[in-house]
Amino acid sequence: MSVARRILLLDLGGVLADLGDPVAAMGLEMTLPEFWKTWTSSSVVRALETGQMDEDEFLQEIPAELGCPTGTSFAPRFRAWQLRLFPGVEDCVRGALKQYRVALLSNTNAVHWQQVTSGSSVFDLFEHVFLSYKTGHYKPDPAAFQDVMEFFRCAPGDIVFLDDSEPNIVAARKLGIDAQTVAGASELEALLRESNTT
């Protein structure tokens, strides 16, 4: 089934929101590449971000994986890592709505979701938000994309998916989704401007 307008499916962190420097924010003794390798491959992070683990258990389990001492509260460190929307995101989304139906697909947790939605109503503009900690499905797993296709009752080719993670892009393309790598609101804006003129 084809939809009247294509669906613009956006990632959150790295596309709409600045992930900042989690190593500096949390005072970790590792490099940023080491952190992201650990974070993206962690079963503890995945459990938190698919709703299988609550925040208290996560805060007990994650310090060991990040090389931090156990036995002290990790909550202040974790909450010091703040995600913030890039400037101009709302204008960018409003512009996209002239051409697309807009939705969000994000691997995230309740803490970070609260950070990016506090003080901003930009996500009210989205037709739907697919959050891993609520759906239980985690990119690049095919089920995360299937959620979107089932909700919109659309074909893979009806979706334009923008993400900053190459594994997620590869997974989406394997399903027949039009997927492109984008990092930051400025790249997003440029891509949308280009697609609007073609």
Side-chain angles (χ1 to χ4, degrees):
M1 180 183 295
S2 186
V3 294
R5 280 190 299 163
R6 297 184 86 191
I7 294 135
L8 179 65
L9 185 62
L10 301 173
D11 177 37
L12 178 60
V15 176
L16 300 177
D18 187 348
L19 294 165
D21 185 342
V23 170
M26 293 189 281
L28 304 177
E29 295 183 3
M30 57 172 57
T31 65
L32 199 53
E34 287 171 342
F35 169 81
W36 284 118
K37 183 177 179 180
T38 301
W39 184 265
T40 56
S41 63
S42 168
S43 61
V44 175
V45 171
R46 186 184 179 100
L48 175 72
E49 297 198 336
T50 54
Q52 298 174 46
M53 179 181 286
D54 64 25
E55 186 185 347
D56 289 342
E57 189 178 356
F58 168 79
L59 292 171
Q60 291 173 9
E61 298 286 339
I62 197 63
E65 294 198 10
L66 298 177
C68 297
T70 56
T72 57
S73 174
F74 192 72
R77 285 194 184 203
F78 182 54
R79 291 180 180 278
W81 176 21
Q82 296 277 323
L83 273 62
R84 293 183 173 86
L85 294 176
F86 287 115
V89 160
E90 184 167 339
D91 289 342
C92 199
V93 172
R94 287 188 184 279
L97 286 169
K98 298 172 184 176
Q99 188 177 359
Y100 299 98
R101 302 169 71 180
V102 181
L104 181 80
L105 179 63
S106 176
N107 292 346
T108 193
N109 56 75
V111 173
H112 286 156
W113 181 243
Q114 184 178 28
Q115 288 173 359
V116 297
T117 54
S118 178
S120 173
S121 59
V122 66
F123 296 103
D124 292 343
L125 300 172
F126 286 62
E127 191 163 337
H128 197 74
V129 294
F130 300 87
L131 308 174
S132 63
Y133 79 96
K134 290 188 174 182
T135 66
H137 296 146
Y138 199 74
K139 297 176 296 183
D141 296 350
F145 301 101
Q146 292 291 347
D147 283 344
V148 179
M149 290 184 276
E150 288 173 12
F151 177 86
F152 285 103
R153 297 182 180 180
C154 70
D158 292 323
I159 300 172
V160 177
F161 173 57
L162 306 180
D163 197 295
D164 65 329
S165 166
E166 189 61 28
N168 295 341
I169 295 297
V170 170
R173 285 176 177 167
K174 283 182 180 177
L175 294 172
I177 294 170
D178 179 1
Q180 300 180 58
T181 306
V182 168
S186 58
E187 285 191 19
L188 173 61
E189 184 180 9
L191 189 148
L192 292 175
R193 192 185 309 116
E194 180 182 325
S195 67
N196 202 32
T197 57
T198 56

